[in-house]
């Protein structure tokens, strides 16, 4: 990962145009090619960003200090550096991923075993479906055969919706899976998270942990 703190202005040109006037900002360039620009006042959410795959070109000569980031759709993020205060690179290695607490892990196991909880005709593809940015909790198919990605949380908040959004963006680039829609599942879903998920075309499912644990197994038993 490369971290640059610089006084800069940022221009985005694509489906719309946007301009960030000159100010000190943090620029993150990750190993996956993504570039994001951050201020010091809004937690994890960047002011602007470009998701992979994209290319970064640093200008030279008269264009020195100008970074141009272009994605596959031809959209551009142009960062004009006025003063670089810090520039360092760090090798983070492979991240082991998020370790879920016992309840979330058990919810995932239960839902995978009882995938029909999501609806009649659902079938499991696999749990922990690995992607380049981490594992999708559950990948399955609905009754029509369409691919569905499920993100499971104990408490459903906006960051979980954002996480599922990133997974869907990546999964929908795979022609063997696309189109992929999302299901945000949790024991409790906050109103803001529900609004955001619905706005992004995701279904929301509230999971009853105790009821799921109490479902009798219909598999054959010897005793």
């Amino acid at each position: 990962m490369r971290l640059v703190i610089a006084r800069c202005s940022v221009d985005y040109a694509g489906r719309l145009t946007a301009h960030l006037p000159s100010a000190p900002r943090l620029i993150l360039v990750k190993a996956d090619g993504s570039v994001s620009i951050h201020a010091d006042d809004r937690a994890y959410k960047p002011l602007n960003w470009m998701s992979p795959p994209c290319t970064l070109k640093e200008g030279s000569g008269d264009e020195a200090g100008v970074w141009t980031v272009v994605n596959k759709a031809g959209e551009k993020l142009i960062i004009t550096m006025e003063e670089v205060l810090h520039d360092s690179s760090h090798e983070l290695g492979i991240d082991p991923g998020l370790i879920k607490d016992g309840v979330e892990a058990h919810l995932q196991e239960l839902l995978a075993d009882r995938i029909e909880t999501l609806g009649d005709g659902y079938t499991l593809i696999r749990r922990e479906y690995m992607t380049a940015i981490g594992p999708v909790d559950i990948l399955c198919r609905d009754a029509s055969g369409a691919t569905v990605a499920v993100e499971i949380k104990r408490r459903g908040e906006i960051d979980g919706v954002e996480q599922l959004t990133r997974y869907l963006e990546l999964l929908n680039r795979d022609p063997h899976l696309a189109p992929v829609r999302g299901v945000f599942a949790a024991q409790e879903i906050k109103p803001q998270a529900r609004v955001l998920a619905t706005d992004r075309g995701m279904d929301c499912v509230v999971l009853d942990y105790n009821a799921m644990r109490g479902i009798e197994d219909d598999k054959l038993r010897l005793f």
Side-chain angles (χ1 to χ4, degrees):
M1 179 183 290
R2 184 178 178 186
L3 299 91
V4 177
I5 299 175
R7 178 174 290 278
C8 62
S9 59
V10 183
D11 291 279
Y12 170 80
R15 289 166 292 181
L16 48 81
T17 59
H19 174 71
L20 293 173
S22 177
R25 297 187 176 96
L26 168 65
I27 303 166
L28 298 181
V29 183
K30 295 187 178 181
D32 63 3
S34 63
V35 178
S36 56
I37 297 99
H38 298 260
D40 202 18
D41 65 347
R42 55 192 66 217
Y44 62 89
K45 189 173 179 62
L47 295 165
N48 215 326
W49 68 94
M50 193 70 82
S51 301
C54 56
T55 58
L56 167 61
K57 180 181 178 182
E58 297 185 43
S60 58
D62 293 340
E63 295 295 317
V66 178
W67 290 13
T68 303
V69 187
V70 184
N71 66 12
K72 64 178 182 178
E75 299 167 320
K76 293 183 179 180
L77 195 63
I78 301 170
I79 307 169
T80 304
M81 310 284 191
E82 298 171 14
E83 180 184 7
V84 176
L85 306 172
H86 175 85
D87 189 346
S88 64
S89 297
H90 307 270
E91 179 57 55
L92 302 185
I94 299 174
D95 192 271
L98 178 68
I99 299 175
K100 295 181 178 292
D101 66 24
V103 173
E104 283 190 17
H106 199 199
L107 277 170
Q108 183 191 114
E109 181 182 349
L110 285 168
L111 188 56
D113 189 53
R114 307 288 182 177
I115 198 66
E116 66 275 7
T117 301
L118 298 177
D120 293 338
Y122 272 72
T123 56
L124 179 69
I125 297 176
R126 67 168 299 170
R127 290 172 54 196
E128 298 286 332
Y129 184 89
M130 187 55 66
T131 74
I133 57 174
V136 177
D137 287 337
I138 290 178
L139 197 68
C140 57
R141 295 193 188 280
D142 63 18
S144 69
T147 311
V148 180
V150 185
E151 179 63 26
I152 300 170
K153 299 292 184 187
R154 188 158 54 92
R155 176 178 295 176
E157 301 190 46
I158 284 177
D159 58 349
V161 178
E162 296 285 4
Q163 184 179 357
L164 180 54
T165 299
R166 293 191 293 271
Y167 286 142
L168 290 173
E169 183 180 352
L170 197 63
L171 292 169
N172 273 299
R173 296 177 192 162
D174 186 338
H176 299 293
L177 297 175
V180 185
R181 65 181 181 86
V183 169
F184 189 53
Q187 286 181 278
E188 173 192 0
I189 300 177
K190 295 294 185 180
Q192 299 92 331
R194 183 181 292 276
V195 169
L196 182 60
T198 302
D199 182 67
R200 295 184 177 179
M202 303 171 186
D203 292 333
C204 291
V205 174
V206 175
L207 301 174
D208 187 329
Y209 182 52
N210 291 328
M212 290 174 71
R213 286 191 301 171
I215 295 175
E216 287 293 327
D217 197 340
D218 57 3
K219 297 174 183 175
L220 293 176
R221 297 177 182 267
L222 294 177
F223 53 85

